[in-house]
Amino acid sequence: MAAADGELYIDQNRRNLMNLILVGSAAVTVGGLAVPYILFFLPPSAGGGGAGISAKDALGNDLFEKEYLTTHRVGDHSLAQGLKGDATYLIVKEDGTLEDFGLNAVCTHLGCVVPWSAPNNKFMCPCHGSQYSATGAVVRGPAPLPLALAHRTTDEAGTIIFSPWTETDFRTEGKPWWM
């Protein structure tokens, strides 16, 4: 009987292998389901360096400041593809240069695209009547928040660049709601 205590069964290696396969496949299955479930509850990361993204026209071509200003007059509010692919307004100032910020064209009430009304000198949402000033501040509800801002710069090649606005919102003097 003493010799049997230290011995393995004839099929002990096979049993160990089958147990390993069973536990391993269960772990892969549970992990495959658990990891996406857990990641759903984690906020997305802000991404890399914040160098920005180039503004694009309706065809997906990069916009260049010099060419843009030759085709858009003073006071023009035209749409470009901005951060996260959202429609973003580029605004030509009175001195013929571009504003240092872009305005996200998505209404903060229900997400409609807000067109610029030149005769009224404001953005007017066609869905529920919200109105925004030329800087994107709420003039009339039901929109609860101003239009989101994006920094507008130009790189060495003259490409118009949008980058996230993380500073204080100059219209509300508060923290940006879109961050």
Side-chain angles (χ1 to χ4, degrees):
M1 193 78 154
D5 288 337
E7 292 182 20
L8 295 174
Y9 291 106
I10 296 173
D11 290 343
Q12 187 66 36
N13 288 336
R14 189 178 301 163
R15 284 183 180 200
N16 289 341
L17 179 64
M18 292 305 291
N19 286 338
L20 184 63
I21 291 172
L22 177 69
V23 170
S25 63
V28 168
T29 303
V30 170
L33 294 172
V35 170
Y37 182 79
I38 291 168
L39 292 177
F40 175 79
F41 293 103
L42 298 176
S45 65
I53 186 168
S54 61
K56 300 193 179 298
D57 62 13
L59 300 175
N61 302 317
D62 289 346
L63 292 174
F64 296 93
E65 184 174 23
K66 189 173 183 180
E67 295 170 13
Y68 186 85
L69 291 174
T70 59
T71 58
H72 294 81
R73 66 188 193 298
V74 170
D76 185 74
H77 293 65
S78 295
L79 288 172
Q81 181 179 341
L83 298 174
K84 301 178 189 173
D86 285 347
T88 304
Y89 280 101
L90 283 170
I91 303 166
V92 182
K93 298 189 293 188
E94 295 298 322
D95 63 0
T97 61
L98 288 172
E99 275 290 357
D100 293 333
F101 61 88
L103 288 173
N104 189 310
V106 178
C107 181
T108 58
H109 178 232
L110 289 178
C112 300
V113 173
V114 182
W116 170 252
S117 175
N120 296 314
N121 198 32
K122 57 186 161 185
F123 298 96
M124 300 177 74
C125 183
C127 297
H128 294 102
S130 294
Q131 296 179 7
Y132 302 89
S133 70
T135 61
V138 176
V139 174
R140 190 181 114 196
L145 301 165
L147 297 174
L149 293 169
H151 283 288
R152 199 263 338 137
T153 56
T154 306
D155 67 6
E156 312 81 44
T159 307
I160 299 171
I161 304 293
F162 286 125
S163 57
W165 187 286
T166 57
E167 298 84 24
T168 301
D169 184 345
F170 63 88
R171 302 160 303 180
T172 63
E173 298 301 325
K175 184 180 180 214
W177 62 265
W178 55 90
M179 291 308 300

